[in-house]
């Protein structure tokens, strides 16, 4: 079998842990598998590098950020290869470029366009374990790019797809996907399986156990992901196509996203084209706007509110500057979060959203914004109630049962 394994930051967070990973890889090798192993930077390393850059500049060039951030994964890849060689297992570490990963030019958030699998195949044929530095590739100009936070998951899925691997195992510090973050709700239950669709919603809405783009790609390429722990043995959670058994479940999980900020524009001049103008400015600054609410107009003006990732708030402020005159005042609130319930069963059942709202009411949590889709209900609330909301919703939908 050809297996792609990915080890996240915590799993390679110290030299002892890298050694632990080397042993796991060696074991899989002893079982007769060909292995491509994708690694993250040591935990905290990427954040540390970002802080270093911010020491010099509030808005460092994205090209340089990619040069900088891609180095973290390179360290762990080579250390793991060295550890394996020392144990008597032939191994070779590769950067994204050496592994043939080509991306577009969106520095710091690049999209994988293609993978030339030849270099990896050649090494596998020589009997080597191939270790790939995750989270990176190169663009057409040969510049280093990175794939967005948590992007090593995407490297692993893309490689598994391109190599037609038999399995794509993603190892972290939890032994699978739970009904909610087990750090917030200890009664969270591990799921044996979850559909791509639900997993995509959960990870897009804040469950970082898998990066959302990796789930999207896995769905597109039909890569079956297994989420497992690098600290214990167990079957993990399989992320795969929806099946009948899953449809019986109304709500499968709850996600919390603390990386949210709310922007409110008051007394916006109510004329055709105003929303187009505001959101075009935000798009030009690459701000991802999420929930939007606009009140009915009174006396020619209206109020407009929307959420953006907290990390993009500075850019949102820049985008809205120079646009004054068309609105009265603007305020920004970083103390909000988004809590969401997700389940494919919602498609065919009513009353799920109502239950979420009444649960919040019963706990005196004010809902500031709401958005829904076929399989999710999201609510923006005060950040200080985020974890409480997760727990009471978990209980209300009996997810621990
Ligand atoms: P890695 O560094 O290995 O990529 P992450 O820290 O990105 O790992 O993801 C694992 C973490 O995801 C867990 O420690 C857990 O706190 C968090 N998490 C959030 N939601 C969930 C969920 N529904 N199931 C499991 N873990 C979750
Ligand atoms: N090291 C990168 C990050 O922290 C990528 C990853 O870990 O997947 O976002
Ligand atoms: Mg991760």
């Amino acid at each position: 079998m050809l297996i792609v394994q990915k080890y996240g930051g915590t799993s390679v967070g110290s030299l002892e842990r890298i050694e632990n990973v080397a042993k796991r890889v060696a074991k899989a090798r002893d079982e007769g598998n060909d292995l491509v192993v994708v690694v993250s930077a040591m935990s905290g390393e990427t954040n540390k590098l970002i802080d270093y850059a911010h020491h010099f500049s509030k808005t460092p060039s994205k090209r340089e950020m990619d040069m900088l951030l891609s180095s973290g994964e390179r360290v762990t890849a080579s250390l793991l290869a060295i550890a394996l060689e020392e144990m008597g297992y032939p191994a070779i570490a590769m950067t994204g470029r050496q592994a043939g990963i080509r991306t577009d030019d969106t520095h710091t958030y690049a999209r994988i366009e293609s993978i030339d699998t030849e270099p990896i195949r050649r090494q596998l044929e020589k009997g080597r374990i191939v270790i790939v530095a995750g989270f990176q590739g190169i663009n057409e100009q040969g510049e280093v790019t990175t794939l967005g936070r948590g992007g090593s998951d995407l490297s692993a899925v893309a490689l598994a797809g391109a190599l037609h691997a038999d399995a794509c195992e993603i190892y972290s510090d939890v032994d699978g996907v739970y009904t909610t973050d087990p750090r917030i709700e200890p009664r969270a239950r591990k799921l044996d399986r979850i559909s791509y669709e639900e997993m995509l919603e959960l990870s897009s809405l804040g469950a970082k156990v898998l990066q959302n783009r990796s789930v999207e790609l896995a769905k597109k390429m039909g890569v079956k992901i297994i989420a497992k722990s690098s600290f214990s043995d167990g079957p993990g959670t399989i992320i795969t196509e929806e099946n009948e058994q899953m449809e019986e479940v109304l709500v499968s999980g709850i996600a919390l996203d603390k990386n949210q900020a709310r922007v409110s524009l008051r007394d916006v001049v109510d004329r055709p084209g105003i929303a187009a103008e505001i959101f075009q400015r935000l798009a030009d600054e690459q701000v991802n706007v999420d929930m939007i609410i606009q009140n009915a107009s009174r006396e020619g003006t209206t109020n407009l509110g929307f959420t953006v990732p907290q990390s993009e708030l500075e850019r949102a402020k820049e985008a809205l500057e120079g646009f004054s005159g068309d609105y009265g005042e603007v305020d920004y609130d970083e103390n909000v979060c988004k809590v969401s319930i997700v389940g494919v069963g919602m498609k065919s059942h009513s009353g799920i959203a109502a239950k979420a709202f009444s649960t919040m009411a019963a706990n005196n949590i004010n809902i500031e914004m709401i958005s829904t889709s076929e399989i999710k209900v999201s609510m923006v609330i005060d950040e200080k109630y985020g974890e409480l909301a997760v727990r009471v919703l978990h209980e209300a939908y009996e997810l621990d049962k």
Side-chain angles (χ1 to χ4, degrees):
M1 291 227 294
L2 171 61
I3 302 178
V4 173
Q5 296 189 331
K6 178 259 169 175
Y7 292 93
T10 327
S11 306
V12 295
S14 66
L15 300 181
E16 294 74 50
R17 287 185 175 180
I18 292 177
E19 181 149 13
N20 168 56
V21 167
K23 286 182 184 148
R24 285 185 166 259
V25 173
K27 185 164 168 258
R29 179 74 185 154
D30 289 341
E31 286 162 4
N33 299 301
D34 282 334
L35 288 161
V36 173
V37 181
V38 176
V39 287
S40 286
M42 293 167 103
S43 57
E45 195 58 30
T46 307
N47 287 339
K48 192 178 90 188
L49 293 171
I50 292 173
D51 288 348
Y52 283 175
H54 287 161
H55 176 79
F56 298 105
S57 165
K58 234 171 124 180
T59 49
S61 126
K62 291 186 171 179
R63 189 252 176 214
E64 297 309 329
M65 287 310 280
D66 280 348
M67 281 296 290
L68 179 67
L69 298 190
S70 58
S71 68
E73 289 28 43
R74 202 166 158 156
V75 170
T76 40
S78 40
L79 288 176
L80 180 58
I82 292 168
L84 280 164
E85 289 263 322
E86 192 58 25
M87 289 163 62
Y89 292 83
I92 180 168
M94 291 181 160
T95 61
R97 171 203 299 264
Q98 290 168 326
I101 300 176
R102 300 288 294 261
T103 73
D104 67 8
D105 340 291
T106 321
H107 281 292
T108 75
Y109 201 64
R111 217 165 250 288
I112 295 179
E113 283 183 338
S114 66
I115 299 183
D116 172 11
T117 55
E118 260 319 292
I120 291 183
R121 289 200 189 278
R122 272 202 301 277
Q123 296 301 331
L124 290 174
E125 272 158 29
K126 288 183 187 158
R128 290 184 173 143
I129 298 168
V130 177
I131 319 288
V132 179
F135 175 56
Q136 56 185 277
I138 53 160
N139 66 16
E140 216 173 346
Q141 291 74 45
E143 297 281 355
V144 179
T145 52
T146 63
L147 309 177
R149 297 308 303 270
S152 298
D153 294 345
L154 182 62
S155 309
V157 168
L159 284 168
L163 290 161
H164 304 290
D166 299 288
C168 179
E169 302 171 346
I170 302 215
Y171 290 88
S172 73
D173 57 353
V174 274
D175 60 352
V177 177
Y178 280 69
T179 47
T180 193
D181 189 340
R183 287 176 203 264
I184 297 175
E185 172 52 276
R187 284 183 297 176
R189 192 169 41 81
K190 189 179 80 68
L191 302 166
D192 296 331
R193 310 169 77 85
I194 185 169
S195 67
Y196 289 124
E197 227 183 340
E198 288 169 305
M199 191 64 236
L200 183 57
E201 287 287 358
L202 281 177
S203 48
S204 303
L205 295 167
K208 68 168 182 168
V209 60
L210 289 173
Q211 188 219 28
N212 59 344
R213 286 169 90 182
S214 73
V215 181
E216 197 177 7
L217 187 67
K219 181 176 159 121
K220 201 166 119 195
M221 300 186 84
V223 172
K224 188 171 89 179
I225 301 177
I226 307 173
K228 292 181 167 197
S229 164
S230 65
F231 301 107
S232 60
D233 293 310
T237 299
I238 299 171
I239 296 96
T240 179
E241 290 299 342
E242 197 176 306
N243 65 26
E244 282 150 33
Q245 190 192 338
M246 290 172 178
E247 276 166 44
E248 288 166 19
V249 183
L250 296 184
V251 173
S252 52
I254 297 173
L256 176 64
D257 187 350
K258 291 183 175 169
N259 177 23
Q260 292 280 309
R262 186 163 51 92
V263 180
S264 314
L265 298 175
R266 262 182 268 291
D267 303 324
V268 180
V269 179
D270 199 15
R271 59 169 167 82
I274 187 97
E277 235 173 291
I278 292 173
F279 293 110
Q280 186 57 49
R281 279 167 183 271
L282 291 160
D284 291 344
E285 290 287 331
Q286 291 175 358
V287 176
N288 288 295
V289 175
D290 181 19
M291 289 190 202
I292 302 174
I293 47 172
Q294 185 182 336
N295 294 356
S297 155
R298 269 184 62 196
E299 292 163 12
T301 65
T302 175
N303 294 338
L304 185 65
F306 53 89
T307 58
V308 300
Q310 229 169 66
S311 45
E312 294 172 17
L313 188 59
E314 277 306 314
R315 291 212 299 278
K317 286 182 184 172
E318 271 168 35
L320 294 171
E321 265 169 31
F323 189 54
S324 48
D326 286 308
Y327 57 82
E329 44 182 285
V330 55
D331 64 54
Y332 304 97
D333 186 357
E334 290 190 60
N335 299 316
V336 294
C337 66
K338 180 167 66 183
V339 55
S340 311
I341 57 176
V342 171
V344 284
M346 282 184 214
K347 279 183 196 168
S348 47
H349 286 78
S350 54
I352 307 257
K355 184 171 198 160
F357 306 147
S358 61
T359 304
M360 303 296 259
N363 287 277
N364 259 317
I365 304 172
N366 187 43
I367 305 171
E368 299 177 20
M369 289 180 174
I370 297 170
S371 85
T372 62
S373 79
E374 259 197 322
I375 67 163
K376 71 131 201 260
V377 178
S378 293
M379 295 164 282
V380 170
I381 60 172
D382 189 327
E383 184 159 24
K384 65 175 182 265
Y385 300 123
E387 301 200 349
L388 171 67
V390 167
R391 286 191 287 265
V392 295
L393 288 168
H394 198 267
E395 166 122 54
Y397 294 102
E398 300 184 349
L399 293 182
D400 53 337
K401 304 265 159 63

